[in-house]
Amino acid sequence: METSFFGKAQDTDVFIHTFGNDKITLSVTDYGARVVSLRYKNTECVCGFSDLSGYIKDTEYHGSTVGRYANRISDGKFSLGGESYTLALNEKGVEHLHGGNTGYSDRVWEVAEKTSDGIKYRLFSPDGEEGYPGNLEIFVRFKVEDSSLVIDYEATTDKDTVINLTNHSYFNVGGVGCENCREQTLMINADSYAEVDEKLIPTGKLVQCAGTPFDFRTGKKIGKDIGAMDRQLEIAGGYDHCFVFNGKSPMASISSEKSGITMEIYTTEPGIQVYTGNFMTEDNPFFAKYPQRTNEAVALECNKLPDSPNQPGFPCCILRPGERYTQHTVYKFI
Ligand code: GLA
């Protein structure tokens, strides 16, 4: 493992760690426990920045570990065990998104363990942080195994809380700066997705994918139907929806004809937020040379469904004292 100084954030030294094997080379940083670079067959498959200032400036959660609750919580409010909680309203002052003003993406994580093939981070998230109940201790381990990146998450709490962790890497298996994600073939083993309202908050309804632009079960180019006349696509300006897995494996895959690379996703999570970089227009070029453009890459976020704390019909997102939250997600490159 090669470790070097990446810069200073919140008065703390931040490092970048690079490791891998003859197939994959991965770089991660302590700032937000973020994936900075993933190289497979000499191709850069993740959008990242060359220096820490790119991450501090970033508003799109590039490569980051997102929490305490990934995606949106309606009006930033939920109740748990008879108590009402109000979270930070960091999205347009009306919704709670990706953990709040300083979510886990913008915290400096502590290195708990380093091995030749991986790194384990720890974060302590105090009771009341961004409005969430309970002191939470979180571990996230990034590991390279053969041609896969494996991310394992663990968390424990001392009070009932809600939790939804994910990794927010934007993948481009055609090579960052070489082609955009519209050219790439996405397969999702999902029969339904969570319908959203104008504020991108789930309505609670799971809509069947069959016969809609959301049917990726046999694989199709992202660009094929992204511009279709469909109210859900109009609201989000593309895909920005949580698909519910149907139990088939792999849960999802994406491939590029140009590079010949395919990435398969295996996860213990119930769903995947597919976000086609619809707001990706920041003046913050990837690796100091590739401009951020709409649909430049796709975030494939394995997680629980958005706004589950307010949706009794969605899979449970509650963590109680004595329990252990775990997630195991594999990104396999072929
Ligand atoms: C998620 C959300 C999107 C957007 C991005 C970050 O994927 O679903 O709406 O907020 O994060 O920009």
Side-chain angles (χ1 to χ4, degrees):
M1 174 148 339
E2 210 183 287
T3 293
S4 49
F5 182 66
F6 203 37
K8 246 184 166 15
Q10 297 146 21
D11 283 330
T12 310
D13 287 348
V14 171
F15 295 89
I16 180 166
H17 314 270
T18 300
F19 53 95
N21 54 25
D22 54 346
K23 300 199 171 118
I24 281 196
T25 306
L26 188 77
S27 296
V28 297
T29 177
D30 315 339
Y31 185 75
R34 295 183 186 227
V35 173
V36 172
S37 160
L38 189 157
R39 294 190 72 82
Y40 177 69
K41 291 191 173 159
N42 274 326
T43 304
E44 179 54 74
C45 294
V46 161
C47 295
F49 304 108
S50 323
D51 49 39
L52 184 60
S53 62
Y55 287 97
I56 293 174
K57 187 171 160 190
D58 171 45
T59 58
E60 289 270 296
Y61 304 87
H62 280 283
S64 67
T65 300
V66 179
R68 183 174 304 198
Y69 200 93
N71 216 280
R72 296 179 174 79
I73 294 184
S74 180
D75 298 329
K77 286 193 164 55
F78 67 95
S79 334
L80 187 58
E83 292 274 335
S84 299
Y85 295 98
T86 303
L87 306 172
L89 297 176
N90 60 316
E91 193 178 52
K92 298 176 190 141
V94 288
E95 305 296 345
H96 178 83
L97 174 70
H98 289 331
N101 293 311
T102 309
Y104 300 167
S105 316
D106 294 310
R107 297 276 311 274
V108 179
W109 291 59
E110 178 193 317
V111 176
E113 191 184 298
K114 274 204 247 181
T115 53
S116 58
D117 57 356
I119 188 162
K120 190 175 186 178
Y121 281 112
R122 174 186 181 269
L123 186 75
F124 175 72
S125 172
D127 184 24
E129 187 179 37
E130 303 288 338
Y132 290 101
N135 290 302
L136 195 71
E137 185 180 35
I138 310 131
F139 290 97
V140 176
R141 187 180 66 163
F142 297 88
K143 193 172 176 214
V144 164
E145 265 177 30
D146 194 37
S147 64
S148 299
L149 159 64
V150 181
I151 310 183
D152 277 295
Y153 306 72
E154 267 182 48
T156 49
T157 183
D158 62 358
K159 215 189 230 181
D160 288 6
T161 191
V162 295
I163 183 166
N164 187 25
L165 304 179
T166 194
N167 179 271
H168 207 294
S169 288
Y170 290 81
F171 294 100
N172 187 332
V173 291
V176 175
C178 298
E179 69 177 3
N180 68 40
C181 76
R182 291 192 299 269
E183 305 302 317
Q184 297 168 2
T185 302
L186 178 66
M187 187 285 295
I188 314 170
N189 266 318
D191 301 336
S192 61
Y193 71 96
E195 180 191 74
V196 292
D197 67 12
E198 314 281 325
K199 292 191 282 183
L200 298 177
I201 300 285
T203 60
K205 190 170 159 198
L206 298 180
V207 177
Q208 289 300 305
C209 297
T212 76
F214 291 78
D215 194 351
F216 283 94
R217 288 173 298 178
T218 54
K220 67 174 171 185
K221 287 203 170 160
I222 289 178
K224 183 165 181 281
D225 296 325
I226 199 170
M229 293 283 282
D230 178 281
R231 188 64 197 132
Q232 285 292 304
L233 289 171
E234 265 171 39
I235 288 177
Y239 295 99
D240 190 357
H241 294 82
C242 193
F243 290 74
V244 184
F245 294 130
N246 60 16
K248 293 191 184 133
S249 190
M251 283 74 184
S253 69
I254 187 157
S255 52
S256 159
E257 281 164 19
K258 197 168 171 181
S259 68
I261 297 175
T262 295
M263 179 182 80
E264 291 179 345
I265 297 182
Y266 301 83
T267 183
T268 50
E269 290 302 285
I272 190 166
Q273 181 79 16
V274 174
Y275 169 58
T276 46
N278 314 327
F279 317 128
M280 207 194 264
T281 51
E282 235 174 32
D283 179 19
N284 194 7
F286 301 125
F287 304 111
K289 54 181 169 192
Y290 305 114
Q292 290 205 32
R293 284 189 284 244
T294 309
N295 306 148
E296 195 65 33
V298 58
L300 297 168
E301 309 155 51
C302 298
N303 57 17
K304 300 199 189 300
L305 277 62
D307 201 27
S308 301
N310 294 306
Q311 293 292 347
F314 287 180
C316 180
C317 63
I318 300 167
L319 181 71
R320 302 182 196 278
E323 295 175 351
R324 184 173 294 273
Y325 166 92
T326 59
Q327 178 192 149
H328 177 71
T329 297
V330 177
Y331 308 85
K332 179 177 179 187
F333 290 80
I334 301 162

Short mmCIF file of all heavy atoms in Angstrom, two decimals, residues 59-61 71-72 91 97-98 168 170 200 240 273 275 279 299 301, ligand 1:
data_model
loop_
_atom_site.label_atom_id
_atom_site.label_comp_id
_atom_site.label_asym_id
_atom_site.label_seq_id
_atom_site.Cartn_x
_atom_site.Cartn_y
_atom_site.Cartn_z
N THR A 59 -19.97 19.01 -4.91
CA THR A 59 -21.32 18.94 -4.33
C THR A 59 -22.07 17.72 -4.83
O THR A 59 -23.27 17.59 -4.61
CB THR A 59 -22.14 20.20 -4.69
OG1 THR A 59 -22.20 20.28 -6.12
CG2 THR A 59 -21.54 21.46 -4.13
N GLU A 60 -21.38 16.85 -5.54
CA GLU A 60 -22.06 15.69 -6.15
C GLU A 60 -21.68 14.36 -5.48
O GLU A 60 -21.91 13.31 -6.05
CB GLU A 60 -21.73 15.64 -7.65
CG GLU A 60 -22.40 16.74 -8.46
CD GLU A 60 -23.76 16.31 -8.99
OE1 GLU A 60 -23.81 15.39 -9.80
OE2 GLU A 60 -24.77 16.89 -8.58
N TYR A 61 -21.03 14.41 -4.34
CA TYR A 61 -20.73 13.22 -3.52
C TYR A 61 -19.82 12.21 -4.22
O TYR A 61 -19.94 11.00 -4.02
CB TYR A 61 -22.04 12.54 -3.07
CG TYR A 61 -22.96 13.49 -2.34
CD1 TYR A 61 -23.86 14.29 -3.04
CD2 TYR A 61 -22.88 13.63 -0.98
CE1 TYR A 61 -24.68 15.20 -2.37
CE2 TYR A 61 -23.70 14.52 -0.30
CZ TYR A 61 -24.59 15.30 -1.01
OH TYR A 61 -25.40 16.18 -0.34
N ASN A 71 -29.61 9.31 0.35
CA ASN A 71 -30.77 9.83 -0.39
C ASN A 71 -31.68 10.67 0.52
O ASN A 71 -31.26 11.13 1.56
CB ASN A 71 -31.52 8.74 -1.15
CG ASN A 71 -32.04 9.28 -2.47
OD1 ASN A 71 -33.06 9.95 -2.50
ND2 ASN A 71 -31.31 9.06 -3.54
N ARG A 72 -32.94 10.82 0.09
CA ARG A 72 -33.78 11.87 0.71
C ARG A 72 -34.68 11.36 1.83
O ARG A 72 -35.17 10.24 1.78
CB ARG A 72 -34.64 12.52 -0.37
CG ARG A 72 -33.78 13.22 -1.39
CD ARG A 72 -34.58 13.88 -2.50
NE ARG A 72 -33.66 14.64 -3.34
CZ ARG A 72 -32.87 14.10 -4.28
NH1 ARG A 72 -32.93 12.81 -4.53
NH2 ARG A 72 -32.02 14.85 -4.97
N GLU A 91 -31.13 20.26 1.31
CA GLU A 91 -31.47 20.35 -0.11
C GLU A 91 -32.54 21.42 -0.30
O GLU A 91 -33.70 21.22 0.05
CB GLU A 91 -31.92 19.01 -0.69
CG GLU A 91 -31.94 19.12 -2.22
CD GLU A 91 -32.33 17.85 -2.94
OE1 GLU A 91 -33.38 17.28 -2.61
OE2 GLU A 91 -31.59 17.44 -3.84
N LEU A 97 -30.92 15.52 2.40
CA LEU A 97 -30.27 14.68 1.37
C LEU A 97 -28.92 14.18 1.86
O LEU A 97 -28.10 14.97 2.35
CB LEU A 97 -30.09 15.49 0.07
CG LEU A 97 -29.30 14.81 -1.05
CD1 LEU A 97 -30.08 13.64 -1.66
CD2 LEU A 97 -28.93 15.80 -2.16
N HIS A 98 -28.70 12.87 1.67
CA HIS A 98 -27.38 12.27 1.88
C HIS A 98 -26.72 12.66 3.22
O HIS A 98 -25.54 12.99 3.26
CB HIS A 98 -26.45 12.63 0.73
CG HIS A 98 -26.78 11.95 -0.57
ND1 HIS A 98 -27.38 10.72 -0.65
CD2 HIS A 98 -26.56 12.34 -1.87
CE1 HIS A 98 -27.53 10.37 -1.92
NE2 HIS A 98 -27.05 11.33 -2.68
N HIS A 168 -21.02 6.35 -3.27
CA HIS A 168 -21.55 7.21 -4.33
C HIS A 168 -20.54 7.41 -5.46
O HIS A 168 -20.38 8.52 -5.97
CB HIS A 168 -21.97 8.55 -3.73
CG HIS A 168 -23.06 9.26 -4.47
ND1 HIS A 168 -22.90 9.74 -5.75
CD2 HIS A 168 -24.33 9.56 -4.13
CE1 HIS A 168 -24.01 10.33 -6.14
NE2 HIS A 168 -24.91 10.22 -5.17
N TYR A 170 -19.24 7.43 -9.17
CA TYR A 170 -19.81 7.56 -10.51
C TYR A 170 -18.94 6.70 -11.42
O TYR A 170 -17.75 6.98 -11.59
CB TYR A 170 -19.77 9.00 -11.00
CG TYR A 170 -20.71 9.92 -10.27
CD1 TYR A 170 -20.38 10.46 -9.03
CD2 TYR A 170 -21.95 10.27 -10.83
CE1 TYR A 170 -21.23 11.33 -8.37
CE2 TYR A 170 -22.81 11.15 -10.17
CZ TYR A 170 -22.44 11.67 -8.95
OH TYR A 170 -23.29 12.53 -8.30
N LEU A 200 -38.53 14.62 -5.86
CA LEU A 200 -37.75 13.37 -5.90
C LEU A 200 -37.90 12.54 -4.61
O LEU A 200 -37.02 11.77 -4.25
CB LEU A 200 -36.26 13.64 -6.20
CG LEU A 200 -35.96 14.28 -7.56
CD1 LEU A 200 -34.47 14.56 -7.72
CD2 LEU A 200 -36.44 13.41 -8.71
N ASP A 240 -33.01 8.88 -11.97
CA ASP A 240 -32.58 9.20 -10.61
C ASP A 240 -33.59 8.50 -9.69
O ASP A 240 -34.35 9.14 -8.98
CB ASP A 240 -32.57 10.72 -10.39
CG ASP A 240 -31.90 11.11 -9.08
OD1 ASP A 240 -31.50 10.21 -8.33
OD2 ASP A 240 -31.79 12.33 -8.82
N GLN A 273 -29.97 2.89 -6.31
CA GLN A 273 -30.33 4.20 -6.85
C GLN A 273 -29.48 4.39 -8.09
O GLN A 273 -28.24 4.34 -8.04
CB GLN A 273 -30.01 5.30 -5.82
CG GLN A 273 -30.36 6.71 -6.28
CD GLN A 273 -31.85 7.04 -6.15
OE1 GLN A 273 -32.59 6.35 -5.45
NE2 GLN A 273 -32.30 8.09 -6.81
N TYR A 275 -28.45 6.99 -10.75
CA TYR A 275 -28.45 8.43 -10.97
C TYR A 275 -27.51 8.73 -12.14
O TYR A 275 -26.30 8.52 -12.04
CB TYR A 275 -28.01 9.16 -9.69
CG TYR A 275 -27.74 10.63 -9.90
CD1 TYR A 275 -28.73 11.47 -10.40
CD2 TYR A 275 -26.49 11.18 -9.64
CE1 TYR A 275 -28.47 12.82 -10.62
CE2 TYR A 275 -26.23 12.53 -9.84
CZ TYR A 275 -27.23 13.33 -10.34
OH TYR A 275 -26.97 14.66 -10.56
N PHE A 279 -27.43 16.31 -12.86
CA PHE A 279 -27.04 17.67 -12.42
C PHE A 279 -25.52 17.84 -12.51
O PHE A 279 -24.95 18.73 -11.90
CB PHE A 279 -27.42 17.92 -10.95
CG PHE A 279 -28.77 17.45 -10.51
CD1 PHE A 279 -28.91 16.64 -9.38
CD2 PHE A 279 -29.91 17.82 -11.19
CE1 PHE A 279 -30.16 16.21 -8.95
CE2 PHE A 279 -31.16 17.40 -10.76
CZ PHE A 279 -31.28 16.59 -9.65
N ALA A 299 -23.97 6.99 -11.26
CA ALA A 299 -23.82 6.55 -9.87
C ALA A 299 -24.75 5.34 -9.69
O ALA A 299 -25.93 5.41 -10.05
CB ALA A 299 -24.18 7.66 -8.90
N GLU A 301 -25.86 3.23 -6.74
CA GLU A 301 -25.79 3.28 -5.28
C GLU A 301 -26.62 2.16 -4.67
O GLU A 301 -27.85 2.25 -4.64
CB GLU A 301 -26.30 4.64 -4.79
CG GLU A 301 -25.65 5.83 -5.48
CD GLU A 301 -26.54 7.07 -5.46
OE1 GLU A 301 -27.02 7.45 -4.38
OE2 GLU A 301 -26.76 7.66 -6.53
C1 GLA B 1 -28.24 11.03 -5.53
C2 GLA B 1 -29.57 11.63 -5.70
C3 GLA B 1 -29.55 12.64 -6.77
C4 GLA B 1 -28.47 13.66 -6.54
C5 GLA B 1 -27.15 12.95 -6.37
C6 GLA B 1 -26.02 13.88 -5.99
O1 GLA B 1 -27.95 10.03 -6.39
O2 GLA B 1 -30.58 10.67 -5.94
O3 GLA B 1 -30.80 13.29 -6.89
O4 GLA B 1 -28.77 14.44 -5.41
O5 GLA B 1 -27.22 11.99 -5.40
O6 GLA B 1 -25.98 15.01 -6.74
#
